[in-house]
Amino acid sequence: MLLIDMFTRGLAVGAILMLGLAIGRSQVSRDARIVGVYAAVTLAAWMTTESEPLWAALGHSPAPMFLALSSGSAFWLLVMVVFEDWPLTWLTATPTILLVVSGLVMWVEAPSGFSATVWVVRNSFSALLSLHAVVVVARGWRGDLMQGRRWARAPLLGFGAVFGVFVSVMSLINRAHPLSGGWMLLEAGEVYGAAIMALLTLALGAVFLQARPSVFGPAGRRAELADARGEAVERAMLQKLDAIMAAEGWRREGLTIGQLAQEMALPEHRLRRLINTRLGHRNFADFLNAHRIEAAKRRLADPAEARTTVAAIAFDLGYGSLGPFNRAFRAVTGVTPTAWRRQALSASPDLQEAV
């Protein structure tokens, strides 16, 4: 069993590092390269230190252990950058920083009672991050307009995150009530757990190894079709879509791409490809937000609407609450709706007082 464990774990570590190298040397976005390499290195270090024989072969070097401190956030951060288009900032790196700091605290305080408490908090936090990754992967699948990312969502990454949740929960249960038997072989430090990680890693490599821009890269508008007939058909579809949006179809709360495709009498996959390749949007929410934010900017700059609250405008434009509207507006303009309104109405002191 030891040889099998060493082989499968070595296979997983090698595949993870090859995947990170491929992403790091690719032409995808800077944030995707950084996160891809970070996730590969931390997960490889985690897989190594979870195996006592493998770590002993490295002389129990502290380097892999230090690199593994933030492994609980690696998968989550990869999901958020690739699937939610989050930029890599100090805010998005906060879970990583927290896990590193708490891990160092455990080293300094070990084997005190405080260290045990930190261990429980760390593992619970890692489980929540993995669970959040599962929710993100599942929630965004329907609205994702990029075919490569849709393939990556299906159930591979979701299962990977579920396995992350399982590992953390099993560790917590074993800490409180030591387990025995076959269940323990599924832990990351045991042979079956290593085999599962190896299979997941190889499957991830099959999806990501070429680091296709359709998965990692920014959206881009495709040139016109060489086929005149096909181009005419797409132009007609775009005109129909523009007409629906001009009639404020985007205002409907809860509008889905399936509903819009049905209204346009189009297969959903054709509408998905049209919005992505001809209009340059990576997901359906971005497409709707582009129309909603433009309408919001017009209303916020309108002196006649100076006394209309930002919340009332948000609800009227189809947002279910103020929070998503503020985030979407700031993502497009770089400022809050209130700041935008203040700047737009700055020429009139009386209107500034109204704001």
Side-chain angles (χ1 to χ4, degrees):
M1 288 290 260
L2 178 60
L3 290 177
I4 295 176
D5 178 73
M6 294 284 283
F7 173 77
T8 54
R9 196 174 298 274
L11 185 65
V13 169
I16 290 172
L17 293 177
M18 286 296 294
L19 176 59
L21 179 64
I23 296 173
R25 297 178 61 183
S26 69
Q27 299 300 313
V28 299
S29 69
R30 171 183 169 274
D31 286 355
R33 290 199 304 272
I34 293 174
V35 172
V37 172
Y38 153 73
V41 171
T42 55
L43 290 176
W46 175 66
M47 284 294 294
T48 300
T49 56
E50 283 294 307
S51 170
E52 175 58 28
L54 191 56
W55 191 24
L58 298 176
H60 290 103
S61 169
M65 182 61 76
F66 177 78
L67 292 172
L69 288 178
S70 61
S71 59
S73 67
F75 191 86
W76 173 84
L77 188 57
L78 183 66
V79 167
M80 300 313 293
V81 170
V82 174
F83 295 111
E84 291 293 282
D85 300 320
W86 279 20
L88 188 57
T89 64
W90 285 108
L91 182 61
T92 54
T94 298
T96 298
I97 296 171
L98 290 176
L99 288 177
V100 170
V101 171
S102 60
L104 292 175
V105 168
M106 286 179 57
W107 267 357
V108 172
E109 296 293 331
S112 69
F114 181 67
S115 176
T117 301
V118 173
W119 184 93
V120 172
V121 173
R122 275 173 53 81
N123 276 267
S124 300
F125 185 50
S126 296
L128 289 175
L129 289 175
S130 295
L131 183 60
H132 183 229
V134 172
V135 172
V136 168
V137 169
R139 182 190 62 198
W141 179 81
R142 189 66 185 272
D144 201 332
L145 302 176
M146 303 184 72
Q147 192 61 37
R149 293 200 314 184
R150 281 174 60 80
W151 286 337
R153 285 182 189 273
L156 179 61
L157 286 181
F159 181 65
V162 169
F163 184 64
V165 175
F166 175 80
V167 167
S168 297
V169 171
M170 284 289 293
S171 297
L172 289 168
I173 293 175
N174 188 50
R175 184 87 172 196
H177 302 285
L179 301 173
S180 61
W183 283 107
M184 294 306 298
L185 295 177
L186 294 175
E187 280 200 320
E190 301 295 335
V191 60
Y192 292 155
I196 293 173
M197 284 299 297
L199 289 174
L200 287 172
T201 304
L202 292 173
L204 284 170
V207 176
F208 288 129
L209 193 54
Q210 295 180 356
R212 294 183 299 241
S214 62
V215 178
F216 290 102
R221 301 192 183 197
R222 190 191 65 206
E224 293 185 359
L225 294 174
D227 175 21
R229 183 176 180 182
E231 177 63 24
V233 171
E234 285 208 349
R235 283 185 177 276
M237 290 191 296
L238 282 171
Q239 289 174 357
K240 193 170 186 178
L241 179 61
D242 287 342
I244 294 174
M245 293 298 105
E248 298 189 343
W250 46 265
R251 188 186 292 272
R252 307 172 209 163
E253 185 177 349
L255 178 66
T256 67
I257 192 168
Q259 294 169 346
L260 186 56
Q262 185 175 14
E263 185 174 344
M264 294 180 63
L266 282 176
E268 187 175 318
H269 70 88
R270 291 195 67 181
L271 179 58
R272 195 183 303 279
R273 185 172 63 244
L274 183 75
I275 298 174
N276 176 225
T277 61
R278 297 304 292 263
L279 301 179
H281 295 284
R282 287 167 64 91
N283 59 66
F284 189 61
D286 284 348
F287 168 69
L288 294 180
N289 280 335
H291 292 279
R292 289 171 174 163
I293 297 305
E294 285 303 313
K297 289 194 290 187
R298 289 193 296 270
R299 292 187 61 177
L300 290 169
D302 184 359
E305 299 243 32
R307 294 188 180 277
T308 305
T309 65
V310 172
I313 292 175
F315 295 140
D316 191 45
L317 293 178
Y319 288 92
S321 62
L322 186 58
F325 172 65
N326 284 337
R327 288 193 294 272
F329 193 93
R330 187 162 193 162
V332 173
T333 65
V335 296
T336 65
T338 301
W340 172 275
R341 167 180 272 178
R342 188 175 294 113
Q343 293 170 7
L345 301 178
S346 60
S348 173
D350 294 336
L351 289 175
Q352 288 185 56
E353 292 179 6
V355 175

